[in-house]
Amino acid sequence: MLHYVCVQARSNRAVVCLQVESVVKKHKAELLEKRYKANVGALLSEAKVLLTWADGKTIKNEVDMQILDLLGPKTEADLEKPVKQKGAKPAKKVGESQETTARQAVTVDNLIAADGHVKSFMEVMGDAVKFHKPGENYKTDGFVITPNTMDLLKQHMKEVGGKVHTRFPPEPNGILHIGHAKAINFNFGYAKAMGGNCYLRYDDTNPEKEEEKFFLAIREMVEWLGYKPFKVTHASDNFERLYQCAVELIKRGHGYVCHQKADELKGFNVPDSPWRDRPIEESLQLFEDMKKGKIAEGEATVRMKTTLEEGKKDPVAYRIKFTAHHRTGDKWCIYPTYDFTHCLCDSIENITHSLCTKEFQTRRSSYYWLCNVLDMYCPVQWEYGRLNLHYAVVSKRKIGKLITEGLVRNWDDPRLFTLTALRRRGFPPEAINYFCAKVGVTMAQTALDPSMLEACVRDVLNLQAPRVMAVLDPLKVVIQNFPATHPGEVTVPNFPADESKGSHKVPITSTIYIERADFREEADKNYKRLAPNQSVGLRHAGIVITVDKVVKDGQGQITELVVKCNDATDGPKPKAFIHWVSEPLHCEVRLYETLFFHKNPEDPSEVPGGFVTDVNRDSLTVLRNALVDTSVSKAKVYDKFQFERNGFFSLDPDSSADRLVFNRTVTLKEDPNKN
């Protein structure tokens, strides 16, 4: 009876959640525009009409929670009393409101902790993450209590020593992307903050798609983000134990062997299996035949006698695959599914908090059910919203298609949003972690503009990347009267705002190079750089130059400027100081734009021809004749710099001893094309 009541309660809560979600979605534009000043009472009334049988307090709590998920915590502006307006202002468009709200969510305030380090995920999240204490699983909403629960919890607490234990369980069949960064931070960050442990557990139950390179790359990215796994485990470590669990499930009358085809099991209105009530001994024998390879692929599965919260009945627990496994070879030809494996591995590893994305909310009932019917310790599942970015695809299959069609170079192409690509482009791991924290861990699905991630990257790089001078499109300048007494070098601060972080020397001679865009033969009143009738200063050099002669080739292209110089303290201050290089290093510079034209390249309503047709084929620009000052000569791969007035750049792995290659990570905040 207790089990039935718990299941019924969960079902009712799910209905309340879905109905309230529909009301909030209907009024989403108004909520995003007015935030907490919107008429929440009207929403509540509308939800009550749809849920006449539900408790009013339950409905209000759900409305409050979903609004909090959508808008985030109240800001100072939300707490201010409304000011009477003289005239009504036009409402913002929905897209603009969403972007504004999301930008507010990731504004970089209090980025630095007291000891000078960039704040971690949990330092930013703070009290926003409130979960049950280890051993208090039974206090969480919807947790199913059985006669054995307390004894199992007591044994569990002995094994974990009262510490939080989480896990990050990726499938080793692709490269991690920005969405995984949130999951990594959530699992590892929470365990670390609570003094606990986090497993890196590979969910390697699909032998057809797993490759060694993915196992290695996943661990590398976890560690790059700053986390060290407590233990590295595999679902396949437990294949024997999982098999015994499946046998026990059948013996207890909660599992059976079914012969319905995969196509027959798709969808939600699947008819009951004609084999659902077959004798236990018969199912056990057939399962043994499956294990011994006596039954062909697709001819039999083991199914569980339960119904998911979404209404799907009897999910599959085991299927036949005559494929060698990366770790176990040909030992097995039956492999467990996610629905069967995940909760049992969590139980075996004594996970205290099973953190997963919202799409697994409908699996929570089967998660609890399976642990309980097998009398195994049952962890608590907590869900949070996925993190998605506009102008991106992260699907392994779709990225693979971009690679095979030559639209990107590989999994780490800097135009992608895989973690290896972001590292190659020069995104600091601290900035990615900080971005994930600022987005938060609400239940709301989050889709943000990449510019919001880039804002966090800029703020971190502004603290980490020393300034150097580089010229991307060089124009030669000869200084006729360069002082013979000049020492031939100038001092450039690494971080102009903090002289304690040191400086470096760069050479200066009578021949320098400036950006071609920093000179115009005809300048309007808004142009402040070098022109025949307008002088400019040279950054850090204390010199002002004035054009004396413009040299052109046979096609009329400017090839050289001849100038005169004087001390910057003599005469009026110039309108601008420009960067330059002298005796520079030649380098290649790669500039990146968004890979797709539309926000949602996978949406057929936006891109009818499919995401491949939406690729921006001019998203990569390669400058092969760029110049950079000699201070970067000893740079290592992934070292980061701010090229003055050009943006932040990172040294690419393609670099060699005689030719450096830099990727532009992000531009500066200011418009690089302004006069």
Side-chain angles (χ1 to χ4, degrees):
M1 175 62 71
L2 175 63
H3 177 69
Y4 170 77
V5 171
C6 291
V7 170
Q8 184 63 41
R10 287 200 309 276
S11 177
N12 289 345
R13 279 192 294 273
V15 174
V16 171
C17 177
L18 290 171
Q19 293 287 17
V20 171
E21 190 172 37
S22 69
V23 174
V24 170
K25 186 176 181 180
K26 178 180 175 182
H27 295 276
K28 186 175 181 181
E30 179 189 358
L31 286 167
L32 289 169
E33 179 188 342
K34 297 180 180 178
R35 292 183 58 77
Y36 288 98
K37 294 181 176 64
N39 185 358
V40 178
L43 273 74
L44 186 58
S45 298
E46 193 170 330
K48 286 181 177 179
V49 170
L50 298 173
L51 298 161
T52 53
W53 50 267
D55 176 63
K57 185 176 179 181
T58 300
I59 299 173
K60 184 178 185 306
N61 288 341
E62 185 65 29
V63 169
D64 290 344
M65 186 192 77
Q66 292 204 26
I67 290 176
L68 178 63
D69 285 339
L70 177 65
L71 303 180
K74 288 185 178 180
T75 63
E76 290 184 8
D78 294 324
L79 297 172
E80 291 177 358
K81 292 182 179 179
V83 179
K84 291 184 178 180
Q85 300 288 337
K86 291 183 178 180
K89 292 184 178 180
K92 291 181 179 179
K93 295 178 181 177
V94 175
E96 293 172 347
S97 299
Q98 289 173 326
E99 187 167 322
T100 300
T101 303
R103 284 184 184 276
Q104 290 171 349
V106 295
T107 51
V108 183
D109 52 351
N110 301 320
L111 173 66
I112 303 301
D115 63 358
H117 73 271
V118 177
K119 286 184 179 179
S120 68
F121 178 83
M122 283 304 299
E123 285 177 302
V124 177
M125 289 305 304
D127 292 336
V129 179
K130 294 182 180 179
F131 296 134
H132 70 283
K133 294 179 181 178
E136 295 187 353
N137 303 34
Y138 60 92
K139 292 185 178 181
T140 59
D141 184 42
F143 191 81
V144 180
I145 301 173
T146 72
N148 295 325
T149 294
M150 302 314 293
D151 289 338
L152 290 168
L153 280 174
K154 189 180 294 185
Q155 180 60 33
H156 158 73
M157 286 296 284
K158 286 182 181 178
E159 297 191 26
V160 299
K163 290 185 176 182
V164 165
H165 280 68
T166 60
R167 80 292 168 269
F168 172 57
E171 294 180 71
N173 59 4
I175 297 295
L176 301 183
H177 55 72
I178 186 65
H180 291 113
K182 181 176 178 180
I184 291 169
N185 272 284
F186 202 0
N187 281 284
F188 282 94
Y190 181 64
K192 184 177 181 180
M194 302 304 293
N197 301 310
C198 182
Y199 289 84
L200 169 58
R201 184 207 303 151
Y202 294 108
D203 182 19
D204 57 342
T205 58
N206 190 355
E208 295 168 323
K209 298 180 180 179
E210 295 156 9
E211 296 182 41
E212 177 68 16
K213 66 179 181 181
F214 296 135
F215 285 87
L216 297 174
I218 287 170
R219 181 168 184 175
E220 185 180 8
M221 288 299 98
V222 168
E223 294 179 347
W224 176 64
L225 288 178
Y227 298 108
K228 184 175 181 180
F230 166 58
K231 290 181 181 178
V232 177
T233 59
H234 304 74
S236 57
D237 296 338
N238 300 307
F239 274 175
E240 182 63 40
R241 178 91 179 263
L242 293 170
Y243 166 72
Q244 295 299 335
C245 286
V247 171
E248 184 64 22
L249 189 74
I250 295 171
K251 286 182 178 179
R252 294 186 179 210
H254 296 297
Y256 63 97
V257 172
C258 175
H259 303 288
Q260 285 181 285
K261 305 297 183 184
D263 288 344
E264 298 177 68
L265 300 180
K266 290 180 179 178
F268 290 92
N269 296 315
V270 177
D272 286 349
S273 169
W275 296 279
R276 197 172 197 268
D277 297 318
R278 79 188 323 159
I280 289 174
E281 290 303 321
E282 187 178 320
S283 280
L284 288 172
Q285 182 58 55
L286 287 167
F287 188 36
E288 185 66 15
D289 290 344
M290 289 169 62
K291 179 174 178 283
K292 291 180 177 179
K294 294 181 178 181
I295 301 177
E297 280 191 34
E299 295 298 319
T301 59
V302 174
R303 294 175 66 185
M304 299 178 278
K305 292 183 180 180
T306 188
T307 302
L308 301 180
E309 289 185 11
E310 63 192 10
K312 191 167 185 176
K313 295 181 66 175
D314 294 5
V316 173
Y318 263 87
R319 73 277 202 214
I320 302 167
K321 286 181 180 288
F322 291 109
T323 305
H325 188 274
H326 175 77
R327 297 183 70 243
T328 61
D330 294 324
K331 181 177 179 180
W332 298 91
C333 64
I334 52 171
Y335 293 98
T337 62
Y338 175 89
D339 286 320
F340 187 79
T341 305
H342 189 67
C343 59
L344 297 183
C345 283
D346 279 355
S347 177
I348 292 165
E349 293 180 348
N350 276 290
I351 299 305
T352 59
H353 298 74
S354 178
L355 310 175
C356 56
T357 47
K358 189 178 179 181
E359 65 263 34
F360 295 105
Q361 183 177 3
T362 57
R363 301 292 205 273
R364 194 196 304 175
S365 59
S366 66
Y367 183 109
Y368 291 168
W369 173 84
L370 185 54
C371 290
N372 288 327
V373 298
L374 290 174
D375 281 327
M376 295 174 66
Y377 158 71
C378 184
V380 177
Q381 177 172 305
W382 293 91
E383 303 92 8
Y384 57 92
R386 286 176 63 114
L387 169 60
N388 299 306
L389 288 182
H390 294 308
Y391 303 101
V393 297
V394 295
S395 155
K396 293 180 280 284
R397 179 181 63 81
K398 291 176 180 177
I399 291 176
K401 186 174 180 65
L402 293 173
I403 294 170
T404 56
E405 296 200 11
L407 298 170
V408 297
R409 293 175 61 184
N410 212 322
W411 292 90
D412 65 348
D413 188 297
R415 290 166 290 180
L416 297 173
F417 285 92
T418 62
L419 293 185
T420 50
L422 296 180
R423 178 180 64 173
R424 184 166 189 170
R425 185 157 172 170
F427 282 35
E430 300 92 336
I432 295 173
N433 296 345
Y434 192 76
F435 171 70
C436 291
K438 297 300 289 184
V439 169
V441 290
T442 66
M443 284 279 284
Q445 300 289 80
T446 311
L448 300 176
D449 192 280
S451 63
M452 299 165 201
L453 170 58
E454 291 173 359
C456 291
V457 171
R458 284 191 191 93
D459 282 278
V460 172
L461 287 179
N462 202 42
L463 300 169
Q464 295 181 348
R467 292 196 183 186
V468 301
M469 292 193 289
V471 173
L472 307 188
D473 185 13
L475 175 60
K476 183 179 179 181
V477 177
V478 176
I479 305 174
Q480 292 184 90
N481 61 335
F482 187 78
T485 57
H486 196 285
E489 64 180 14
V490 300
T491 301
V492 177
N494 295 333
F495 296 87
D498 186 353
E499 294 184 3
S500 67
K501 291 186 176 181
S503 60
H504 58 274
K505 305 281 189 180
V506 296
I508 183 169
T509 67
S510 59
T511 299
I512 64 170
Y513 298 86
I514 67 172
E515 294 285 359
R516 188 170 291 275
D518 281 347
F519 172 74
R520 285 186 188 175
E521 285 191 275
E522 296 181 8
D524 57 40
K525 63 179 181 179
N526 295 318
Y527 186 74
K528 301 183 185 303
R529 302 176 195 171
L530 188 60
N533 60 347
Q534 186 166 274
S535 302
V536 295
L538 300 182
R539 294 273 291 160
H540 310 295
I543 291 175
V544 175
I545 59 173
T546 305
V547 176
D548 190 50
K549 182 181 178 183
V550 179
V551 181
K552 299 182 179 181
D553 61 16
Q555 285 74 44
Q557 297 295 316
I558 300 172
T559 58
E560 181 180 310
L561 300 178
V562 179
V563 303
K564 291 180 179 178
C565 72
N566 59 279
D567 194 287
T569 59
D570 298 338
K573 181 180 178 181
K575 291 182 178 181
F577 284 80
I578 62 174
H579 65 283
W580 52 273
V581 292
S582 183
E583 296 186 347
L585 301 174
H586 287 262
C587 65
E588 178 179 308
V589 170
R590 298 169 182 173
L591 308 178
Y592 301 97
E593 304 295 337
T594 52
L595 185 59
F596 298 98
F597 290 111
H598 290 83
K599 275 188 174 183
N600 303 295
E602 298 169 275
D603 185 347
S605 65
E606 281 192 45
V607 187
F611 72 100
V612 171
T613 65
D614 197 48
V615 170
N616 175 9
R617 295 175 186 263
D618 296 321
S619 54
L620 169 62
T621 300
V622 180
L623 307 176
R624 304 188 188 280
N625 298 307
L627 305 172
V628 62
D629 75 46
T630 54
S631 65
V632 304
S633 60
K634 296 182 180 179
K636 302 183 294 294
V637 171
Y638 303 133
D639 278 356
K640 298 160 182 59
F641 304 92
Q642 182 186 146
F643 288 0
E644 291 202 27
R645 295 175 54 233
N646 276 314
F648 294 99
F649 292 76
S650 176
L651 193 67
D652 188 83
D654 286 344
S655 297
S656 61
D658 57 351
R659 188 168 184 82
L660 302 179
V661 178
F662 289 95
N663 295 315
R664 185 170 67 189
T665 306
V666 288
T667 59
L668 300 177
K669 287 184 180 179
E670 63 188 52
D671 178 4
N673 296 314
K674 76 178 183 180
N675 288 330

